[in-house]
């Protein structure tokens, strides 16, 4: 069945499963996936003034300025093939970003504006536990969790067979608390913005990956 929605934003607190569920949707319905967190981590790995600035902000749990991320997104939106749907993970994260996105879409990609905003609801206690235990394959980026998603064979990535895993530098207890504060103050106001536009669907994000994925499947309709 063709999906009902193909122009999607996925929102939620840090550790709510946005990256994991975007990957599922991307695979199932062939969307173009843009993760601003992944893009910024690539920038922060570069030894340039911008890379060092971005790294300093991310590692401490602060947001990158709206102006910077909007420049990045303007370029990224141009890369979405016309025939493809898309999913935006981690953007918009502030109200000015949400408004700017509407303007960029109206001018850059008319007729392909958002048709669904998925909001993953997960209480703080869960997100802290999820973030503290997560890691990814250093080679292919497949995501794991020490409690909820271990590799089938200990120490070996299920997807590519490599043996090195890494953790994000901002996935420490102190930084998670700060990221949650930023989320409350700057990102939560975006929720009523999309609710007023009739785009918002709330999903209970607590539970195993496949259970949450099934709830999303029922909404997206694939
Ligand atoms: P994420 O992988 O989505 O958790 O993002 C990791 C970090 O990248 C965040 O904690 C922010 O520091 C930064 N970041 C990602 N997306 C944005 C955005 N839209 N606006 C500002 N900062 C962002």
């Amino acid at each position: 069945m063709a999906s009902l929605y193909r122009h999607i934003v996925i929102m939620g607190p840090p550790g709510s499963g946005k990256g994991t569920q975007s990957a599922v949707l991307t695979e199932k319905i062939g969307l173009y996936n843009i993760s601003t967190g992944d893009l910024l981590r690539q920038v922060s790995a570069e030894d340039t003034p911008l890379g060092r600035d971005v790294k300093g902000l991310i590692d401490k749990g602060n947001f990158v300025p709206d102006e910077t991320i909007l420049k990045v997104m303007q370029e990224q939106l141009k890369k979405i093939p016309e025939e493809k749907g898309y999913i935006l993970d981690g953007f918009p994260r502030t109200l000015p970003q949400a408004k700017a996105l509407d303007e960029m879409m109206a001018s850059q990609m008319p007729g392909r504006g958002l048709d669904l905003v998925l909001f993953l609801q997960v209480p703080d206690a869960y997100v802290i536990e999820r973030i503290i235990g997560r890691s990814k394959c250093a080679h292919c980026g497949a995501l794991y969790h020490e409690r909820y998603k271990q590799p089938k064979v200990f120490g070996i990535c299920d997807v590519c067979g490599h043996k090195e895993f890494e953790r994000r530098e901002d996935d420490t207890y102190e930084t998670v608390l700060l990221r949650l504060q930023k989320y409350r103050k700057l990102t939560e106001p975006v929720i009523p913005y999309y609710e007023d536009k009739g785009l918002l669907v709330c999903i209970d994000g607590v539970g195993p990956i496949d259970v949450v994925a099934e709830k999303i499947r029922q909404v997206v309709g694939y």
Side-chain angles (χ1 to χ4, degrees):
M1 183 171 90
S3 70
L4 301 172
Y5 301 105
R6 303 187 59 80
H7 304 140
I8 303 171
V9 157
I10 189 160
M11 295 185 60
S16 56
K18 300 185 294 292
T20 301
Q21 297 300 337
S22 310
V24 173
L25 274 179
T26 299
E27 196 215 310
K28 297 283 184 194
I29 53 177
L31 300 175
Y32 189 87
N33 186 339
I34 301 179
S35 156
T36 46
D38 285 349
L39 289 168
L40 290 170
R41 277 185 286 280
Q42 280 168 23
V43 173
S44 76
E46 291 162 11
D47 191 14
T48 60
L50 176 66
R52 286 189 288 273
D53 278 358
V54 169
K55 184 167 169 44
L57 291 166
I58 295 186
D59 287 356
K60 290 200 173 60
N62 289 311
F63 284 5
V64 167
D66 286 343
E67 200 194 343
T68 309
I69 194 74
L70 286 171
K71 271 192 207 143
V72 171
M73 279 308 288
Q74 193 138 30
E75 291 312 306
Q76 290 299 318
L77 292 177
K78 289 182 192 154
K79 296 185 185 169
I80 305 173
E82 272 201 30
E83 70 288 358
K84 264 204 164 188
Y86 55 81
I87 182 159
L88 310 183
D89 157 16
F91 181 91
R93 236 180 175 92
T94 65
L95 207 44
Q97 289 180 19
K99 292 179 179 166
L101 176 65
D102 283 347
E103 284 165 22
M104 287 193 285
M105 286 189 156
S107 64
Q108 280 182 231
M109 39 201 294
R112 294 193 293 147
L114 297 179
D115 46 34
L116 177 67
V117 176
L118 291 168
F119 171 47
L120 295 179
Q121 286 177 302
V122 181
D124 287 4
Y126 286 86
V127 306
I128 292 169
E129 196 205 8
R130 282 184 183 181
I131 289 179
I132 300 302
R134 71 185 179 181
S135 61
K136 69 174 184 178
C137 170
H139 185 70
C140 74
L143 300 171
Y144 294 96
H145 191 280
E146 61 188 19
R147 190 154 163 212
Y148 302 115
K149 192 173 184 289
Q150 293 182 353
K152 292 190 183 83
V153 179
F154 180 77
I156 299 180
C157 176
D158 295 344
V159 179
C160 71
H162 277 72
K163 294 182 181 164
E164 273 173 50
F165 296 83
E166 60 188 22
R167 289 178 41 76
R168 283 170 46 171
E169 292 202 28
D170 59 343
D171 277 356
T172 63
Y173 182 71
E174 293 71 25
T175 313
V176 174
L177 294 185
L178 223 138
R179 285 158 64 196
L180 278 168
Q181 272 177 24
K182 297 274 167 200
Y183 169 78
R184 287 274 114 73
K185 189 163 166 226
L186 298 169
T187 310
E188 274 189 351
V190 181
I191 297 167
Y193 178 76
Y194 284 133
E195 199 170 19
D196 288 350
K197 288 177 177 286
L199 293 171
L200 192 80
V201 174
C202 298
I203 303 280
D204 178 2
V206 177
I209 293 168
D210 51 346
V211 172
V212 179
E214 173 56 20
K215 290 178 196 161
I216 293 177
R217 189 193 67 75
Q218 286 175 15
V219 172
V220 174
Y222 64 88

